[in-house]
């Protein structure tokens, strides 16, 4: 079967810890990131589990709304991967160099040049045209967000997936599958996401340019 992603929430998480002890103006750092369970590649699904792929890229926000590029260093699929990058702007530190209780770094997968994070609101998009891949979903589709006071992130996926199977008698003749909502609700497009104050789980905040099919 193949998997498509849509703007409806389901959640995976993995706790990771690596306390930030100082906050310089610019610093090359390693960030640990994971998902729930024992997640085959970040771009694939195996028994409902998700893994980080080699070369996956995330965007890290540590004071700048435009964020910085971090790339995974793992050569093979990993449950928890290390991401290396340079944080160019860090705000929220205290005078002694430690972070304040209210300070959070934030991160977004997949990396996109145009994605931003302002005031705890993540702005990104989900493609309406997606390529079905047997047994998994396409790369750079599993939109996920994270926040942490540490150089370790627990990523939560914002969207839901739909898995479908084609019978052997028609698998070679079907070239596309179209999904459409009954009430015009958006399935893809440009949107913003936040962490819910009550549940601490992600949710779609607003869809600015959505499509329903």
């Amino acid at each position: 079967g193949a998997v498509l992603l849509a703007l409806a929430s389901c959640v995976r998480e993995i706790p990771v810890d690596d306390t930030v002890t100082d906050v310089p103006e610019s610093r090359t750092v390693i960030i640990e990131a994971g998902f729930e369970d024992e997640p085959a590649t970040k771009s694939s699904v195996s028994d409902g589990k998700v893994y980080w792929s080699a070369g996956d890229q995330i965007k890290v926000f540590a004071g700048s709304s435009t964020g910085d590029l971090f790339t995974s260093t793992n050569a093979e699929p990993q449950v928890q991967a290390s991401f290396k990058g340079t944080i160019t702007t860090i705000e929220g530190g205290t005078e002694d160099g430690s972070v304040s209780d209210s300070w959070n770094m934030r991160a977004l997968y997949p990396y996109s040049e145009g994605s931003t994070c302002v005031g705890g609101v993540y702005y990104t998009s989900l493609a309406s045209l997606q390529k079905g891949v047997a047994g998994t979903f396409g790369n750079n589709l599993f939109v996920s967000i994270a926040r942490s006071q540490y150089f370790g992130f627990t990523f939560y996926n914002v969207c839901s997936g739909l898995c479908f199977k084609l019978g052997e008698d028609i698998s070679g003749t079907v070239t596309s599958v179209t999904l459409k909502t009954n009430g015009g609700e958006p399935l893809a497009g440009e949107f913003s996401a936040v962490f819910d104050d009550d549940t601490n789980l992600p949710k779609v905040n607003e869809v600015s340019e959505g499509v329903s099919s």
Side-chain angles (χ1 to χ4, degrees):
V3 182
L4 301 179
L5 278 294
L7 291 177
S9 294
C10 56
V11 174
R12 299 183 181 280
E13 60 138 336
I14 266 192
V16 287
D17 295 301
D18 188 3
T19 305
V20 176
T21 56
D22 54 38
V23 187
E25 291 183 359
S26 179
R27 181 180 180 184
T28 299
V29 296
I30 299 293
I31 287 176
E32 300 295 324
F35 280 83
E36 187 181 33
D37 300 326
E38 299 175 359
T41 69
K42 198 49 219 43
S43 59
S44 74
V45 177
S46 176
D47 296 328
K49 300 174 182 178
V50 185
Y51 286 64
W52 292 107
S53 297
D56 265 339
Q57 296 180 328
I58 61 175
K59 203 169 202 181
V60 175
F61 307 89
S64 167
S65 61
T66 55
D68 299 296
L69 169 65
F70 276 68
T71 303
S72 66
T73 61
N74 53 298
E76 300 293 337
Q78 298 288 337
V79 175
Q80 183 171 309
S82 297
F83 288 78
K84 185 177 182 179
T86 299
I87 294 178
T88 56
T89 303
I90 301 180
E91 298 177 357
T94 61
E95 292 183 359
D96 63 2
S98 62
V99 295
S100 62
D101 290 340
S102 60
W103 183 78
N104 275 300
M105 286 199 304
R106 297 176 184 270
L108 170 70
Y109 175 86
Y111 175 88
S112 170
E113 186 70 29
S115 60
T116 59
C117 184
V118 181
V121 182
Y122 304 76
Y123 296 89
T124 188
S125 62
L126 178 66
S128 59
L129 182 61
Q130 302 176 15
K131 182 180 180 180
V133 181
T136 182
F137 47 81
N139 202 12
N140 295 323
L141 288 175
F142 200 70
V143 179
S144 308
I145 60 177
R147 60 181 178 180
S148 178
Q149 288 186 306
Y150 314 97
F151 286 147
F153 282 116
T154 295
F155 273 82
Y156 296 81
N157 58 296
V158 180
C159 306
S160 293
L162 175 66
C163 178
F164 59 93
K165 295 183 178 181
L166 300 177
E168 293 183 2
D169 56 331
I170 62 170
S171 61
T173 60
V174 176
T175 59
S176 66
V177 174
T178 300
L179 304 180
K180 186 175 182 179
T181 58
N182 292 327
E185 298 87 350
L187 288 175
E190 295 184 9
F191 69 99
S192 62
V194 297
F195 279 96
D196 187 274
D197 291 335
D198 295 325
T199 65
N200 289 320
L201 298 178
K203 65 178 182 180
V204 174
N205 181 55
E206 183 179 7
V207 180
S208 57
E209 295 185 25
V211 294
S212 59
S213 65

